[in-house]
Amino acid sequence: MTVTVQVNLGERSYPICIGCDLLASLQAECARRWPGGRCLLVTDRHVGQIYASAYEGALREAGLVPAVLQVPARESSKSRKWLHAVYDAALEHGMGRSSFMVALGGGVVGDLTGFAAATFMRGIPFVQVPTSLLAMVDSSVGGKTGINLPQGKNLIGAFHQPSAVFADLETLATLPEREYRSGLAEVIKYGIIEDAWFFTALENQAEALKQRDMETLARVVSRCCEIKSEVVRFDEKECGVRAILNFGHTFGHALETCSGYGKLLHGEAISIGMVYAAHLSHEVSDLSAQDLERIEWLLIRMGLPVKAPPLDWKELYAVMQKDKKNQRRDPLFVLAPRIGNVVHGVEVPQAIMRRTWNAILDQPENQEEAQAEPSAGRRRRADG
Ligand code: NAD
Ligand code: GLY
């Protein structure tokens, strides 16, 4: 069964097809939109080894003229070097303004290919074929594309919506366990920011989800895409409400940067970032002790980290100040007064940020101090 979630953005609207065995749908859609067209299928070397020839063959069979580029399977492929490699491959293949690109892989391939498509010949269309859970529920939807700079993540980018998204759940069978769990962090995020009922369903179906049960996955991926597409419909360019999708990301991105790209997977950093945001929410935004524990416990059950590695607080703070979404100098947070409801653009006093950091550290910096002076949040948890 295929579920289609529509992203409604006027002339930039597109379908997200979620199901199994979607090659025929991909063929039909591409042949209908760009009959006989040239295309560049960009993938990474892990995904490419498993799926590139089937997808290349399917495109060819549909009368299209594909070429394939495989980039290294790592975050550092979101770079100027690999962006230029995409442009070079497209030019070598004789592509022009009537050509298109296909991103087959996780968020790295999706962000890189989307940005290449946004800028090649002033912008050509592209199709997202997400193969990681994170890419299915988040990065392939909403049109954010970009690459990293040594100074920070996603510092060069464009909003460029795909023409269609094909999330074939069968590809998740080959996704490594740690990558799968990383995607579950973004799934849990949707429950926290928008849908308390969905959060409860995740608690109830945690085992089936961990086992990658197809029916459960179809429901869960569809609901995440529905939530994301609604948010994007209201605020495509992140002028306001789209910021709620960044719950856990202010701190999570800083963790990714300071621990060195690749040490923590994106979803792992976001898991710790969501715990940090939940603690802050408990301190300054009335999140109950019970909801704070539900969030932490669900992340733990999904096998995600909830404690921060020992990093330098000053460095983390400096990175949070430099966040590109932050026009002021103080970090801004998305906080959750309760599960299913968030507010964005919240400033938090520095002392609380620092204390909360110590509270979620794997090994608190000053154990004696932490024990002698528990944070307000911890006091409330102990009381409640
Ligand atoms: P990724 O693209 O690096 O993929 C993770 C790993 O899984 C890679 O080694 C890849 O080869 C492998 N893989 C993917 N699908 C597979 C499959 N089906 N079978 C076997 N192996 C498979 O990482 P990711 O977690 O998918 O995405 C993270 C990236 O997404 C980050 O760069 C992040 O900044 C970006 N992101 C973008 C957005 C957005 O809105 N554009 C949102 C969230 C994250
Ligand atoms: N992943 C955050 C966004 O798409 O806005």
Side-chain angles (χ1 to χ4, degrees):
M1 192 187 69
T2 305
V3 180
T4 302
V5 174
Q6 187 70 12
V7 183
N8 291 313
L9 288 170
E11 60 186 16
R12 291 181 308 290
S13 298
Y14 54 95
I16 308 167
C17 303
I18 301 151
C20 294
D21 209 2
L22 297 183
L23 266 183
S25 312
L26 172 80
Q27 284 178 312
E29 184 72 10
C30 294
R32 182 182 70 78
R33 283 176 180 269
W34 307 287
R38 283 179 187 274
C39 60
L40 182 67
L41 176 74
V42 183
T43 186
D44 72 40
R45 289 175 190 154
H46 293 162
V47 176
Q49 201 179 15
I50 312 173
Y51 301 106
S53 65
Y55 276 82
E56 184 188 11
L59 290 166
R60 209 176 289 289
E61 197 182 276
L64 300 151
V65 187
V68 177
L69 174 70
Q70 300 201 17
V71 303
R74 50 175 187 248
E75 179 70 26
S76 57
S77 291
K78 275 173 60 173
S79 62
R80 285 173 280 195
K81 175 181 161 189
W82 286 102
L83 178 68
H84 290 166
V86 178
Y87 296 145
D88 288 347
L91 287 171
E92 247 170 58
H93 189 45
M95 284 171 52
R97 298 208 66 191
S98 57
S99 309
F100 65 103
M101 293 189 189
V102 178
L104 171 69
V108 165
V109 162
D111 282 8
L112 171 70
T113 311
F115 185 60
T119 46
F120 183 74
M121 305 256 167
R122 298 205 175 86
I124 62 169
F126 81 117
V127 171
Q128 289 270 21
V129 184
T131 61
S132 70
L133 180 59
L134 184 139
M136 288 183 189
V137 299
D138 192 0
S139 61
S140 67
V141 175
K144 277 190 184 176
T145 70
I147 59 167
N148 303 326
L149 290 181
Q151 292 88 335
K153 256 179 86 80
N154 300 327
L155 288 184
I156 299 182
F159 287 98
H160 187 52
Q161 300 294 341
S163 302
V165 181
F166 294 92
D168 194 326
L169 301 172
E170 277 177 342
T171 60
L172 293 177
T174 54
L175 185 67
E177 182 60 24
R178 190 173 164 206
E179 299 291 348
Y180 181 75
R181 279 191 260 126
S182 170
L184 289 173
E186 297 282 1
V187 168
I188 293 169
K189 178 191 81 179
Y190 287 107
I192 300 171
I193 64 170
E194 194 63 31
D195 188 344
W197 183 90
F198 181 58
F199 188 91
T200 306
L202 293 175
E203 290 175 317
N204 294 336
Q205 293 161 25
E207 284 314 311
L209 200 49
K210 274 164 74 180
Q211 300 305 321
R212 311 188 194 194
D213 173 71
M214 277 298 153
E215 281 180 21
T216 310
L217 268 170
R219 279 195 302 275
V220 164
V221 172
S222 308
R223 182 65 193 129
C224 294
C225 289
E226 276 170 8
I227 293 173
K228 180 148 187 185
S229 65
E230 266 310 282
V231 173
V232 170
R233 182 168 75 87
F234 278 111
D235 181 18
E236 184 183 2
K237 301 270 168 78
E238 199 167 318
C239 301
V241 72
R242 184 165 176 165
I244 69 171
L245 296 170
N246 297 324
F247 180 74
H249 285 56
T250 306
F251 190 69
H253 276 170
L255 278 179
E256 269 184 292
T257 305
C258 294
S259 58
Y261 292 136
K263 290 241 170 64
L264 278 173
L265 298 182
H266 180 72
E268 291 170 343
I270 297 314
S271 174
I272 301 167
M274 289 196 293
V275 172
Y276 186 74
H279 276 260
L280 288 183
S281 305
H282 183 50
E283 294 264 353
V284 301
S285 199
D286 283 340
L287 182 74
S288 68
Q290 193 194 9
D291 275 0
L292 171 59
E293 281 185 6
R294 282 176 72 196
I295 291 170
E296 273 189 289
W297 182 229
L298 186 55
L299 292 166
I300 290 169
R301 280 177 74 197
M302 295 300 191
L304 285 157
V306 294
K307 291 284 182 193
L311 295 167
D312 181 50
W313 168 253
K314 284 201 188 106
E315 209 184 309
L316 280 167
Y317 186 76
V319 174
M320 287 197 278
Q321 281 182 311
K322 273 197 231 132
D323 191 304
K324 68 182 178 309
K325 296 178 207 81
N326 185 15
Q327 284 143 16
R328 314 161 44 121
R329 297 297 290 170
D330 292 325
L332 297 176
F333 291 91
V334 181
L335 298 185
R338 59 179 185 278
I339 288 174
N341 183 263
V342 284
V343 284
H344 61 91
V346 184
E347 271 182 53
V348 175
Q350 271 204 40
I352 295 181
M353 277 190 259
R354 177 76 167 82
R355 205 166 58 201
T356 303
W357 155 247
N358 207 42
I360 68 155
L361 259 181
D362 218 355
Q363 290 149 350
E365 281 170 353
N366 185 339
Q367 299 260 18
E368 277 172 25
E369 192 186 291
Q371 277 163 15
E373 252 192 279
S375 72
R378 284 178 164 194
R379 273 201 297 276
R380 268 184 258 150
R381 282 180 75 181
D383 295 343

